[in-house]
Amino acid sequence: MAQRSFNPLALLRRFRGVEFQLLLTVLLFFAAGYLLVVVATRQREFVASVPGVLTILWPSTLPLLLFIGVSLGLSLSSPRADQVLLPLVALLAGLSLMLTARLEPSLNTLYRCTAADGTVFPCYEGVAAKQSLWVTLGVLGLGAMLFVPWDRLLIRTLRLSLIDFLDHYRYVWLALGLLLIFATFLFGVDPNNSGVRVWFNFGLFLFQPSELLKIILVIFMASYLNEYREVVSAGYRIGPLTLPPLPYLAPIVGMWGLAMATIVFQRDLGAALLLFGVFLAMLYAATGQGWYVLAGMLAFGLGAYVLYQIVPVVAIRVQIWLDPWATAQGSGYQIVQAIYALASGRIFGTGLGLGVPAIVPAIHTDFIFTAIGEEMGLAGTLAVLIAYILLIFRGFHIALRIPGRFRGFEQLLAIGLTTIIAVQTLIIIGGNLRLIPLTGITLPFVSYGGSSVLVNFIIVGLLMRISAFSQR
Amino acid sequence: MTARAALRTLSVIGAVGLIGYGLIQPVESEVRWLICLWAAGPLLWLAARITVPPLRRGLTSSVYHLGLVVLVGFALLSLQLLRQQVVQAEAISSFVATSPDGRTTSNVRPVLASQRILRGSMSDRRGEALVASEPAAGFARRTYPLAERYDPRAFSHVVGFFSTRYGQSGLEATYAEYLTGERGNEWARLRERFLGGAPQGNNLTLTLNAELQARSAAALGGRAGSVVVLDPRTGAILALVSSPGFDPRGLSFDPAAPDWQAENQRISAYWAQLTADGAGQPLLNRATQGVYPPGSTFKTVTAIGALEHPQAGRPAEITCPESYLPQEGAPPVTNAVADLASLTGIPSDLERVYAFSCNTAFAQYAVRLGPDLMSDVARRFDILPPQRTASSYPAFTELPTSQSLLYVDPGFLNYPRALADTGYGQGQLLVTPLQMALVAAAVANDGVMMQPYLVQRISRPDGGTIREFRPRELRRTMSPQTARTMLAAMGAVARYGFGSSVSGFVPGIPVGGKSGTAEHVPGAIPHAWFLAVAPLDGPRYAVAVMVESGGEGSSVGAQLAGQVLAAAFATE
């Protein structure tokens, strides 16, 4: 930015108009929805005046105003970065804030916890405020990805740009990932009795290391597959047979296998499924070999069958999936209530604040999509699905816009990061809708949860950074 | 190329077929739908893959195919949403699952919705609030303002209970659609659907006189029995008491209670108490559902028969012998009091045998009329032979009722002795107190029987009228001449006959009446009945009272009817 132009016309040319307009639309959508929610759940009295409306909106619109700040900042620093990602993320994050604000009062009346000293308190108090904080931190993190001159800093210290830095130190990332896994084994806690010890307790907040693990794994695989792409896709030819290049596949398969095994031992099936899906997708994107995917799926089927036989959690999940009604009062309660919630939404939903979504346990985290289904109906759920499709396809679009074959790492990284969002969305919504057995992971950007929000914002930050420098 | 197009068409048709078949699968066989959906996925993918133009192998092609798989995944999600939220939404919402251990699971939303509705209020004819609703902790609570002034048990059978657990009874059940607002204010419902706000039901204005209702119940004083007070000119029910009653507050759930579990326990404990053996069936509405032998009050019907059919009945030619033998080989009919003829005179007339309730005289009338004419006159008052009759009384549907019967066994009236017994109110007669009140009311209304009704107006929360109930004639049961004669006869009862004590309760107002002492189980204390009309010149009240095993109608019954009449005039 040394030769920054002060020519107003040039400034106007840099202005990211599409993004700005879309963000304003999102802001209006959020403001209307948030007002509706707050008034419908009787958290505040509605005063039909500008100050009255603003007092309701003020602190909660802060994260969305930050989005606009990021957009304006990008107009100055990197006007060519993708203009659609940010509004889509703002839309989903706004939906998240709206829904947590709507769900918190219901959660507070329905779920009460007993502290060690016997006092009873609402389990999820402050969920909405905390989510606002997380989204704010997420936007700040995204801003940090975009505005901190990482390239200059890293070039000065390591003589590498940020992307090259990520590419170059892949074995450091691999080691870091393994370290994270073992640390979870040692220090993992299970704060809300979900049966899995996959959180770190940092006193002030809980952190889910598997969220970070997925980015690390994607960086590693993108780097590795980029370097060995030719070998991995070609294989050895011995006469008429083409053997898989086993020696070259070994590190990624090994890394993946280790991750899977640990996660399976920790019963974190959702994360395992996610990592597996991302792994297959990246392998396919890098090699173009469909049979890798087929072999992987076959292996997955076999593995799933074995797990079904030996791991009781898997067997229970599958039984609930096939017939939740049989255990409607026990293990199938959550999914049965989710089915009722979705069915009562119909086409236009009961209206925000007028349904009873909080009956479904974990409605603000794993099952937030059913809350949308109940109160906004099919119209709302399809809109959210479309938002995700746009987000995912924009990610793929960014990957394809990267020119030249010398930036394969960036391409694979963009594909991998996008695939994380795609697979995660498919797994959790599929589980919510009983399309596949339920595995507890978050719905990107919408579910309540600090680690998930932060990591997803960093993913988008990376994607936008890649897009910003893709056309130089 | 054509092979590809054909393959594409085939896979699209296959996918659509599978999805169409799967969508109509009922909730119980959802697995079949899931199989269809999963099978349709690869077909959709195949069709899409053929459609995408072939790309050079490389990253672009891979990403395209990756995107295609993601798209198919989202398509499957959308199809599942289509089924869950639109196609099968109704079936799923009302699906009740029974787990192997017998516990059932159903959608909680309809129950919550019913608890959230501010059910309409009920008020008496003067607008005094009896039952209302108020918001409580996000739900609605049924309140009973009537309990502030009266014993709530007096009103229990009319207003009924409203329980989330045990359902509804009385008017709460009959007018549930109006009280919830489902009917009557569809426009407001639509507005609430879009603009929010607590749904509010419609209000009922009853014909009841709350003060009279409470005083009537107090006069019954805890004895098992019932009191019915009608306005003979309109058929409006001014009081309808059945005792023992229950406290509707005991069954209504309070959502504002700190402990819902304790609240539910309180309700189920009260329910168990009400339904226990030996509780005296407090949930039964004796006034409309209880059937009893009417005793001598039925002589009113027999007398009307004789007057309406003078050729067969010869009403003027009557005596009151000590005993009367209608059928050889059967025991003779006797009077309850010895030497009744000294009171009725020899020969007597209809008024005197009616006033002194002479069994042998009315046995003779019944035998003269024969089974056909007796059935005919009883039918005019909706007291029917058992054949082809409904189990409830079709002319009054606002509360649960029983049909009154002239006899039970087919062909019973063909026996002269049975016919004779029926003539003075025994035999196999089984009538409801409401039915006898209608008989008295018909006499009082110049022979025209009006349809009884309990709700005179249904109004919206804003006060607008939805339905207004106008008095409706059921039929003319007797000529005005007969009605005048009968009214005079009833006046004679209260003036000098058995039951004259009723006049002492309403000094200065000429009243008419008829006592009844109904034997039900040999040796047991008989049921005490009394019919009353007042004032005799232009009756405004027709009363039927009945005390189960209460004793003599002319004393116990007349006293109760007198108290009720006094209350009616006092609360005018």
Side-chain angles (χ1 to χ4, degrees):
Chain A
M1 306 305 134
Q3 55 274 65
R4 184 179 292 161
S5 161
F6 288 101
N7 182 348
L9 237 157
L11 258 179
L12 201 64
R13 217 174 294 132
R14 298 169 73 97
F15 179 61
R16 294 159 63 85
V18 174
E19 184 178 71
F20 191 78
Q21 286 172 40
L22 287 173
L23 277 174
L24 280 187
T25 317
V26 169
L27 187 67
L28 284 178
F29 163 77
F30 168 77
Y34 191 81
L35 270 180
L36 202 68
V37 157
V38 168
V39 176
T41 54
R42 290 164 213 282
Q43 298 178 52
R44 299 267 199 89
E45 206 56 50
F46 180 71
V47 184
S49 66
V50 174
V53 168
L54 287 183
T55 47
I56 295 179
L57 285 180
W58 161 235
S60 54
T61 39
L62 176 69
L64 290 167
L65 293 176
L66 281 179
F67 271 104
I68 291 178
V70 169
S71 169
L72 292 175
L74 279 175
S75 292
L76 291 175
S77 72
S78 36
R80 295 189 152 192
D82 192 275
Q83 297 202 33
V84 185
L85 276 183
L86 207 56
L88 282 170
V89 170
L91 178 73
L92 293 170
L95 196 63
S96 171
L97 296 179
M98 202 165 91
L99 287 171
T100 38
R102 183 264 168 271
L103 290 172
E104 194 190 331
S106 307
L107 289 169
N108 284 347
T109 51
L110 268 175
Y111 300 101
R112 308 217 156 239
C113 290
T114 313
D117 59 351
T119 50
V120 176
F121 62 97
C123 298
Y124 302 112
E125 195 158 29
V127 163
K130 278 190 219 159
Q131 184 71 353
S132 293
L133 181 68
W134 289 124
V135 172
T136 309
L137 289 178
V139 183
L140 291 178
L142 184 136
M145 292 301 301
L146 294 171
F147 298 126
V148 174
W150 295 108
D151 286 346
R152 255 195 297 169
L153 285 176
L154 287 169
I155 286 171
R156 194 172 297 160
T157 52
L158 297 168
R159 306 192 174 284
L160 289 169
S161 70
L162 174 67
I163 296 296
D164 291 341
F165 167 73
L166 294 177
D167 191 4
H168 193 268
Y169 287 98
R170 61 169 170 263
Y171 291 106
V172 173
W173 308 133
L174 180 64
L176 200 64
L178 294 179
L179 202 68
L180 264 181
I181 293 171
F182 288 123
T184 332
F185 256 130
L186 292 178
F187 307 111
V189 292
D190 178 14
N192 34 13
N193 291 320
S194 52
V196 286
R197 297 191 301 132
V198 290
W199 279 272
F200 287 154
N201 193 346
F202 284 113
L204 278 176
F205 61 97
L206 293 160
F207 185 76
Q208 205 169 4
S210 67
E211 294 283 347
L212 201 57
L213 188 62
K214 62 193 185 191
I215 294 194
I216 290 175
L217 199 66
V218 160
I219 295 173
F220 169 75
M221 285 205 304
S223 169
Y224 188 90
L225 286 171
N226 181 44
E227 182 145 0
Y228 297 103
R229 184 187 292 188
E230 301 299 326
V231 200
V232 170
S233 57
Y236 297 125
R237 277 184 184 277
I238 304 175
L241 288 171
T242 306
L243 288 182
L246 284 177
Y248 290 103
L249 278 179
I252 39 176
V253 172
M255 161 76 192
W256 167 79
L258 201 59
M260 288 289 281
T262 16
I263 284 166
V264 165
F265 279 120
Q266 289 176 332
R267 308 281 185 269
D268 192 357
L269 302 175
L273 200 56
L274 169 64
L275 291 184
F276 185 81
V278 172
F279 167 76
L280 273 190
M282 286 191 74
L283 202 55
Y284 175 73
T287 64
Q289 299 283 357
W291 65 269
Y292 275 143
V293 180
L294 281 179
M297 298 236 277
L298 209 71
F300 175 78
L302 251 146
Y305 182 75
V306 171
L307 287 178
Y308 178 77
Q309 295 296 331
I310 57 168
V311 183
V313 180
V314 179
I316 289 173
R317 290 285 171 86
V318 172
Q319 277 157 17
I320 294 171
W321 172 52
L322 290 177
D323 188 8
W325 305 101
T327 51
Q329 298 282 343
S331 49
Y333 180 79
Q334 192 176 30
I335 195 81
V336 160
Q337 293 303 329
I339 290 170
Y340 279 137
L342 283 167
S344 57
R346 310 286 160 95
I347 294 177
F348 293 110
T350 56
L352 278 169
L354 301 178
V356 276
I359 299 174
V360 185
I363 187 71
H364 60 304
T365 56
D366 296 356
F367 271 89
I368 198 145
F369 192 71
T370 58
I372 299 171
E374 179 174 356
E375 301 210 323
M376 297 173 170
L378 185 70
T381 49
L382 287 186
V384 170
L385 288 188
I386 289 169
Y388 277 111
I389 290 177
L390 290 176
L391 189 63
I392 291 159
F393 276 57
R394 206 65 198 176
F396 287 149
H397 179 75
I398 289 170
L400 291 183
R401 259 198 346 180
I402 299 168
R405 38 195 300 125
F406 300 107
R407 295 172 67 187
F409 170 70
E410 274 172 85
Q411 285 185 322
L412 284 176
L413 187 61
I415 294 168
L417 295 174
T418 310
T419 315
I420 290 177
I421 296 176
V423 176
Q424 194 167 342
T425 308
L426 283 171
I427 288 176
I428 188 57
I429 298 183
N432 284 178
L433 300 186
R434 219 190 127 203
L435 211 60
I436 56 170
L438 177 70
T439 52
I441 50 173
T442 55
L443 182 61
F445 305 106
V446 182
S447 281
Y448 168 79
S451 353
S452 163
V453 167
L454 277 180
V455 167
N456 284 319
F457 270 96
I458 287 172
I459 287 175
V460 171
L462 270 172
L463 276 177
M464 291 189 69
R465 200 178 166 86
I466 293 171
S467 78
F469 300 103
S470 68
Q471 285 191 327
R472 257 208 298 227
Chain B
M1 208 56 207
T2 41
R4 287 168 69 93
L7 187 60
R8 185 175 65 184
T9 316
L10 270 180
S11 42
V12 167
I13 290 173
V16 168
L18 279 169
I19 290 162
Y21 171 75
L23 276 177
I24 55 169
Q25 293 304 310
V27 187
E28 298 87 36
S29 41
E30 252 169 356
V31 172
R32 212 176 290 162
W33 152 252
L34 287 177
I35 292 170
C36 288
L37 190 59
W38 274 112
L43 290 177
L44 285 175
W45 174 78
L46 192 63
R49 170 110 201 213
I50 293 169
T51 311
V52 172
L55 292 159
R56 209 165 49 81
R57 266 176 95 88
L59 196 87
T60 313
S61 151
S62 301
V63 170
Y64 260 96
H65 291 140
L66 210 56
L68 220 57
V69 172
V70 171
L71 214 54
V72 169
F74 275 92
L76 296 189
L77 291 179
S78 309
L79 286 169
Q80 171 74 333
L81 281 171
L82 183 72
R83 176 184 156 93
Q84 288 195 331
Q85 299 204 275
V86 182
V87 181
Q88 296 288 342
E90 191 75 51
I92 295 173
S93 292
S94 53
F95 184 72
V96 179
T98 312
S99 36
D101 58 357
R103 282 187 296 178
T104 56
T105 307
S106 61
N107 193 356
V108 71
R109 286 167 186 80
V111 179
L112 288 175
S114 77
Q115 279 180 293
R116 207 161 274 154
I117 292 170
L118 273 177
R119 278 174 87 88
S121 68
M122 297 186 211
S123 48
D124 85 336
R125 63 188 303 124
R126 298 197 175 89
E128 189 182 336
L130 301 177
V131 184
S133 286
E134 64 185 23
F139 294 98
R141 168 172 52 200
R142 208 66 171 135
T143 58
Y144 294 89
L146 64 90
E148 288 159 22
R149 294 187 54 192
Y150 314 114
D151 180 358
R153 286 173 301 174
F155 295 81
S156 51
H157 293 101
V158 174
V159 300
F161 61 78
F162 173 70
S163 166
T164 43
R165 192 164 239 198
Y166 300 106
Q168 300 134 39
S169 76
L171 294 179
E172 293 272 22
T174 318
Y175 287 93
E177 281 188 326
Y178 285 105
L179 287 169
T180 57
E182 238 169 84
R183 279 178 73 180
N185 47 357
E186 288 81 4
W187 169 240
R189 259 299 131 82
L190 203 66
R191 212 177 45 210
E192 279 153 11
R193 173 105 181 71
F194 286 101
L195 300 177
Q200 223 171 333
N202 301 307
N203 302 326
L204 306 182
T205 307
L206 311 190
T207 56
L208 225 55
N209 173 349
E211 189 71 41
L212 175 62
Q213 175 87 3
R215 290 200 197 183
S216 301
L220 257 174
R223 292 172 292 181
S226 31
V227 175
V228 180
V229 184
L230 301 176
D231 184 336
R233 300 163 297 179
T234 60
I237 297 174
L238 303 174
L240 191 136
V241 181
S242 168
S243 170
F246 56 89
D247 187 344
R249 292 176 299 176
L251 294 174
S252 106
F253 184 84
D254 180 5
D259 186 351
W260 280 20
Q261 209 169 351
E263 183 71 1
N264 273 321
Q265 267 163 14
R266 173 184 70 84
I267 290 168
S268 45
Y270 190 58
W271 180 260
Q273 187 190 327
L274 292 178
T275 50
D277 294 339
Q281 290 182 284
L283 295 171
L284 177 79
N285 188 345
R286 287 169 160 76
T288 57
Q289 285 178 292
V291 287
Y292 309 92
S296 301
T297 55
F298 191 76
K299 286 172 182 160
T300 318
V301 178
T302 311
I304 290 165
L307 290 166
E308 288 285 284
H309 302 284
Q311 251 123 36
R314 301 191 309 280
E317 301 165 32
I318 196 68
T319 56
C320 183
E322 276 302 280
S323 75
Y324 165 61
L325 195 67
Q327 188 179 348
E328 288 300 331
V333 175
T334 55
N335 289 324
V337 184
D339 198 19
L340 205 54
S342 62
L343 290 169
T344 62
I346 310 169
S348 186
D349 55 29
L350 187 138
E351 184 183 297
R352 295 181 77 79
V353 293
Y354 184 78
F356 293 108
S357 200
C358 176
N359 286 354
T360 52
F362 283 87
Q364 291 178 64
Y365 279 138
V367 171
R368 287 178 195 169
L369 288 169
D372 292 345
L373 291 180
M374 268 308 278
S375 298
D376 163 68
V377 70
R379 177 174 285 119
R380 298 185 187 188
F381 298 98
D382 290 328
I383 300 169
L384 304 177
Q387 292 91 350
R388 292 196 299 276
T389 53
S391 59
S392 59
Y393 180 37
F396 181 65
T397 53
E398 294 179 299
L399 295 177
T401 54
S402 293
Q403 172 64 50
S404 299
L405 298 178
L406 184 59
Y407 55 91
V408 176
D409 300 332
F412 177 74
L413 287 190
N414 294 335
Y415 300 98
R417 169 66 212 245
L419 190 61
D421 284 347
T422 305
Y424 62 91
Q426 293 289 158
Q428 293 184 339
L429 273 162
L430 284 173
V431 297
T432 61
L434 174 70
Q435 212 71 48
M436 290 319 293
L438 285 171
V439 171
V443 170
N445 192 37
D446 232 19
V448 175
M449 188 156 93
M450 303 298 289
Q451 181 169 27
Y453 67 103
L454 203 45
V455 173
Q456 54 177 331
R457 187 162 168 264
I458 304 176
S459 52
R460 286 188 198 91
D462 61 16
T465 302
I466 297 167
R467 268 181 78 180
E468 190 120 30
F469 293 81
R470 302 197 180 285
R472 208 167 71 81
E473 278 183 25
L474 274 179
R475 70 184 68 87
R476 170 163 285 287
T477 56
M478 66 192 104
S479 66
Q481 177 61 40
T482 307
R484 272 195 293 280
T485 312
M486 281 315 297
L487 203 56
M490 290 181 83
V493 170
R495 211 163 60 245
Y496 59 81
F498 289 168
S500 54
S501 61
V502 72
S503 300
F505 291 92
V506 278
I509 300 172
V511 299
K514 181 71 195 94
S515 67
T517 308
E519 313 211 336
H520 48 111
V521 180
I525 304 170
H527 296 325
W529 279 89
F530 203 87
L531 305 184
V533 293
L536 219 43
D537 44 342
R540 299 195 296 274
Y541 303 106
V543 179
V545 302
M546 209 279 317
V547 183
E548 280 182 19
S549 303
E552 289 293 323
S554 52
S555 55
V556 175
Q559 184 190 10
L560 178 56
Q563 286 166 335
V564 170
L565 273 181
F569 285 111
T571 58
E572 258 182 352

